[in-house]
């Protein structure tokens, strides 16, 4: 027999209301917490439309439009679809877990804070700094990539000129604080989404032989037979995962943005559910189209990487169809996408470092928030890293940036793994303190099982990447290749051990009984669970769980 109040018709009745009153008495609301040492709170100016666009298109960038070409060349079209699909499922589970915690605790630092509270401060320190360093080093890389896209039209202008132009643009965006970030992401995400939809329609027309001048006629799945659906066997398949992680990376920024959202209890559930659409259409369908209209043995794909935008499989597919003018349009979309990711770099690193500083895990002055709600010193640090973009003119620029990007290669897998682990531990702590699931304003659709699935897939992806790092595709074991692919792992381990020793934090994990589950809740979040649920058709309820 179910315990009273846990299920049944009284879920929204007296018993729940009584338990809500008890929870409300235990809660320390975010607006009641005293700022640490006079640190101002971040401004809450992001609207629902900003949050949804950050979720749908915030990380669609060079990873999808360019990096996927290298994955197609190494693994083949079927390996790309399966690899991106696996990472997509992993991300879907992760975002559900993050959404549940972020709606209840829309706190500064989001997942970094959850890892510290529900898993271990040492792991939070390690993951937080790795995440911040990743965004710091990705910014100059994106500035160079954006400059290279301009060479599609003009190769007579110095790269340093365009690095300066884009860096000035990012500086101007950050003058307007979080609202500037939100508005820019909204506009750029709309452009990227329209481009993806347009390419899907274009690809269907190409595949069915509807392009005048394209003598291939009906293509179907011709290229899945020759050169083949899979290339380089199992090792080729395993090589797809890092590319997929880089392409999907940034989705978790929705969790960071929760602290600056006007109504997270309304905006975040909608944004979280948008992840399904993004994975299904803007990644999987786009890559399916690319894989059927562009042969994976196209030699131009060999150099496809985030910085070599000339090897974009999307642009190459358009050129293969013989359509003039359209490659130029899509190159402009890639330029917009790269700038969007560069904008996200500044947001992701600055908010994470500011959160680290408020917990004493970074130099104290980084905790400062000015009167306009900007973590100004963190923003200055990120923009200063952008100056490394001028290294693109150096003779050894490729080697330098390969090692810089090695710091972020596996970052997203570790972040997503930690989010799932934090959600599993949070549920244990929530239960240990006597609270029930019906008291949560938003529940992960797949529950703890989904987090275990996400955690397991992260571990499998890390193992697959380790395999291809030790035994690289087309080569023998090489220390330089291994560390260029797997450097983030020893970095996280070093940070974890450093904080253990520095803080004398000898506990392996935070016990459920010792967890803080009642502070940082935004006023109105727990009260939302008392609102009567509208009766809907079960089919509609199932669909809305995803859409």
């Amino acid at each position: 027999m179910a315990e009273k109040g846990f299920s049944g018709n009284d879920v929204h009745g007296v018993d729940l209301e009584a338990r809500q009153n008890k929870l409300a008495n235990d809660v320390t609301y975010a607006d009641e917490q005293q700022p640490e040492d006079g640190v101002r709170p971040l401004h809450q100016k992001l609207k629902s439309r900003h949050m949804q666009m950050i979720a749908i298109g915030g990380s669609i960038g060079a990873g999808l439009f360019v990096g996927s070409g290298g994955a197609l060349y190494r693994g083949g079209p079927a390996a790309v679809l399966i690899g991106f699909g696996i990472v997509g499922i992993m991300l879907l589970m992760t975002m559900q877990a993050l959404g549940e915690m972020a709606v209840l605790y829309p706190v500064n630092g989001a997942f970094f804070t959850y890892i510290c509270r529900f898993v271990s401060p040492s792991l939070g320190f390690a993951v937080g700094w790795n995440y911040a360093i990743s965004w710091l080093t990705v910014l100059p890389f994106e500035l160079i990539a954006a400059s290279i896209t301009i060479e599609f039209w003009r190769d007579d202008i110095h790269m340093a000129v365009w690095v300066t132009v884009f860096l000035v643009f990012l500086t101007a965006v950050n003058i307007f604080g979080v609202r500037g970030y939100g508005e820019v992401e909204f506009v750029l995400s709309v452009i990227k989404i329209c481009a993806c939809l347009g390419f899907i329609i274009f690809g269907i027309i190409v595949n069915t032989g509807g392009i005048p001048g394209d003598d291939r006629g009906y293509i179907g799945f011709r290229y899945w037979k020759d050169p083949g659906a899979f290339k380089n066997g199992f090792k080729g398949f395993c090589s797809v995962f890092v590319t997929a992680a880089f392409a999907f990376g940034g989705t978790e920024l929705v969790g960071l943005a929760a602290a600056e959202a006007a109504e997270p209890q309304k905006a975040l559930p909608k944004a979280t559910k948008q992840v399904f659409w993004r994975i299904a259409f803007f990644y999987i369908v786009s890559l399916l189209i690319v894989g059927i209209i562009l042969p994976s043995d196209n030699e131009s794909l060999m150099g496809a990487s985030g910085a070599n935008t000339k090897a974009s499989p999307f642009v190459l597919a358009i050129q293969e169809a013989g359509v003039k003018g359209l490659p130029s349009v899509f190159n402009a979309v890639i330029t917009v996408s790269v700038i969007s990711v560069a904008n996200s770099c500044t947001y992701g690193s600055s908010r994470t470092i500011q959160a680290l500083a408020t917990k004493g895990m970074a130099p104290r002055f980084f905790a400062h928030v000015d009167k306009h709600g900007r973590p100004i010193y963190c923003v200055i640090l990120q923009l200063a890293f952008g100056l490394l973009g001028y290294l693109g003119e150096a003779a050894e620029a490729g080697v330098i940036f390969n090692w810089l990007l090695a710091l972020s290669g596996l970052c997203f897998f570790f972040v997503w793994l930690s989010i799932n682990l934090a959600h599993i531990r949070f549920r244990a702590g929530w239960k240990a303190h006597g609270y029930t699931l019906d008291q949560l304003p938003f529940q992960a659709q797949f529950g703890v099982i989904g987090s275990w699935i996400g955690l397991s897939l992260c571990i499998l992806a890390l193992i697959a990447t380790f395999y291809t790092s030790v035994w690289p595709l087309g080569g023998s074991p090489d220390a330089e290749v291994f560390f260029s692919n797997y450097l983030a792992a020893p970095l996280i381990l070093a940070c974890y051990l450093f904080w253990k020793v520095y803080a004398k934090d000898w506990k392996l994990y935070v016990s459920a009984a010792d967890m803080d589950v009642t502070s940082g809740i935004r006023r109105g979040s727990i009260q939302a669970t008392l609102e009567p649920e509208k009766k809907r058709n079960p089919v509609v309820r199932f669909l809305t769980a995803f859409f």
Side-chain angles (χ1 to χ4, degrees):
M1 183 176 178
E3 183 179 342
K4 190 176 182 181
F6 281 70
S7 61
N9 295 329
D10 64 334
V11 167
H12 293 285
V14 177
D15 289 344
L16 175 56
E17 187 170 0
R19 292 200 306 277
Q20 289 293 84
N21 290 335
K22 177 184 178 299
L23 177 58
N25 291 331
D26 295 339
V27 162
T28 301
Y29 288 108
D31 58 0
E32 294 175 346
Q33 291 181 283
Q34 293 298 319
E36 298 183 33
D37 297 333
V39 176
R40 293 188 183 93
L42 297 169
H43 288 184
Q44 297 162 1
K45 293 186 175 181
L46 289 176
K47 298 180 180 179
S48 179
R49 62 184 177 88
H50 298 137
M51 300 293 288
Q52 291 186 54
M53 280 302 169
I54 291 171
I56 298 175
S59 63
I60 296 176
L64 173 63
F65 291 138
V66 184
S68 59
L72 179 64
Y73 187 81
R74 294 189 302 271
V80 168
L81 274 184
I82 296 171
F84 272 73
I86 290 172
V87 176
I89 292 170
M90 175 200 311
L91 190 61
L92 177 61
M93 302 302 175
T94 302
M95 288 304 298
Q96 287 287 322
L98 178 59
E100 178 175 300
M101 294 184 289
V103 172
L104 187 63
Y105 311 109
V107 295
N108 191 19
F111 45 84
F112 152 71
T113 305
Y114 308 147
I115 297 167
C116 289
R117 284 170 66 168
F118 306 134
V119 184
S120 163
S122 297
L123 182 62
F125 175 84
V127 173
W129 267 112
N130 187 246
Y131 189 72
I133 290 170
S134 296
W135 284 127
L136 287 172
T137 54
V138 165
L139 177 60
F141 174 81
E142 296 294 340
L143 291 174
I144 290 176
S147 302
I148 292 175
T149 62
I150 304 298
E151 293 180 5
F152 188 88
W153 303 287
R154 296 286 300 271
D155 57 3
D156 58 332
I157 300 178
H158 222 269
M159 178 189 292
V161 173
W162 297 112
V163 169
T164 303
V165 169
F166 295 131
L167 197 55
V168 169
F169 171 77
L170 290 177
T171 303
V173 169
N174 280 276
I175 290 175
F176 296 97
V178 69
R179 190 63 182 271
Y181 165 73
E183 292 295 349
V184 169
E185 280 305 299
F186 180 82
V187 174
L188 298 186
S189 292
V190 168
I191 294 173
K192 290 186 287 185
I193 289 168
C194 291
C196 285
L197 292 174
F199 180 82
I200 290 171
I201 295 170
F202 169 80
I204 293 172
I205 295 172
V206 171
N207 187 259
T208 54
I211 301 295
D214 186 354
D215 57 7
R216 292 176 296 176
Y218 174 73
I219 298 173
F221 282 82
R222 180 190 310 172
Y223 297 134
W224 282 50
K225 298 177 181 178
D226 182 22
F230 293 93
K231 294 177 64 179
N232 300 306
F234 182 68
K235 193 178 289 187
F237 169 71
C238 290
S239 69
V240 172
F241 285 105
V242 170
T243 303
F246 186 76
F248 281 114
T251 307
E252 68 290 330
L253 286 172
V254 174
L256 281 179
E260 297 173 86
E263 294 182 299
Q265 70 273 18
K266 294 182 180 179
L268 267 172
K270 293 179 182 178
T272 301
K273 292 171 184 176
Q274 296 292 340
V275 172
F276 176 84
W277 282 103
R278 201 179 110 190
I279 292 169
F281 288 94
F282 307 131
Y283 281 84
I284 303 303
V285 177
S286 293
L287 291 173
L288 171 64
I289 295 296
V290 167
I292 61 177
I293 66 174
L294 179 69
S296 60
D297 60 354
N298 187 307
E299 293 299 322
S300 297
L301 292 172
M302 288 182 64
S305 67
N308 186 10
T309 57
K310 296 177 182 178
S312 165
F314 289 76
V315 173
L316 292 174
I318 296 170
Q319 291 175 334
E320 192 87 5
V323 179
K324 299 185 182 300
L326 196 55
S328 183
V329 172
F330 212 90
N331 191 71
V333 172
I334 295 174
T335 306
V336 165
S337 301
V338 173
I339 295 172
S340 172
V341 175
N343 188 38
S344 296
C345 289
T346 308
Y347 185 82
S349 69
S350 61
R351 270 54 181 184
T352 303
I353 294 174
Q354 198 271 340
L356 284 160
T358 58
K359 287 190 174 294
M361 295 180 174
R364 189 64 188 171
F365 69 91
F366 282 126
H368 175 71
V369 176
D370 67 13
K371 63 181 181 180
H372 299 292
R374 300 169 298 195
I376 191 67
Y377 297 124
C378 301
V379 172
I380 291 173
L381 175 65
Q382 176 66 87
L383 294 175
F385 262 78
L387 297 174
L388 292 175
Y390 293 112
L391 289 175
E393 297 290 354
E396 299 296 323
V399 176
I400 294 170
F401 278 99
N402 280 341
W403 284 107
L404 282 176
L405 289 175
L407 295 171
S408 62
L410 295 177
C411 168
F412 295 112
F413 283 137
F414 284 109
V415 169
W416 300 337
L417 184 153
S418 300
I419 290 172
N420 284 296
L421 183 58
H423 180 244
I424 292 167
R425 296 299 303 149
F426 158 70
R427 282 288 187 94
W430 189 252
K431 181 179 179 180
H433 283 76
Y435 306 123
T436 59
L437 296 185
D438 52 303
Q439 290 177 279
L440 295 172
F442 174 74
Q443 294 181 34
Q445 298 294 333
F446 307 98
V448 176
I449 293 176
S451 295
W452 278 113
I453 293 172
L455 180 68
S456 301
L457 290 176
C458 282
I459 293 172
L460 288 175
L462 287 169
I463 292 172
T465 306
F466 181 82
Y467 169 63
T468 55
S469 299
V470 176
W471 294 281
L473 194 64
S476 56
D478 184 277
E480 183 176 343
V481 172
F482 174 79
F483 283 107
S484 66
N485 292 332
Y486 226 79
L487 184 60
L491 175 64
I492 283 184
L493 180 61
C495 289
Y496 177 81
L497 295 175
F498 167 78
W499 193 255
K500 281 285 184 190
V501 174
Y502 178 81
K504 298 180 180 179
D505 173 25
W506 306 121
K507 287 185 177 181
L508 184 61
Y509 58 89
V510 179
S511 67
D514 292 336
M515 288 181 193
D516 172 17
V517 298
T518 56
S519 65
I521 294 176
R522 184 81 65 87
R523 195 177 295 278
S525 291
I526 59 172
Q527 287 79 4
T529 60
L530 288 175
E531 297 175 3
E533 184 179 10
K534 295 179 180 178
K535 292 188 179 296
R536 293 172 293 176
N537 183 284
V539 176
V540 175
R541 292 185 65 181
F542 174 78
L543 292 174
T544 54
F546 295 97
F547 307 143

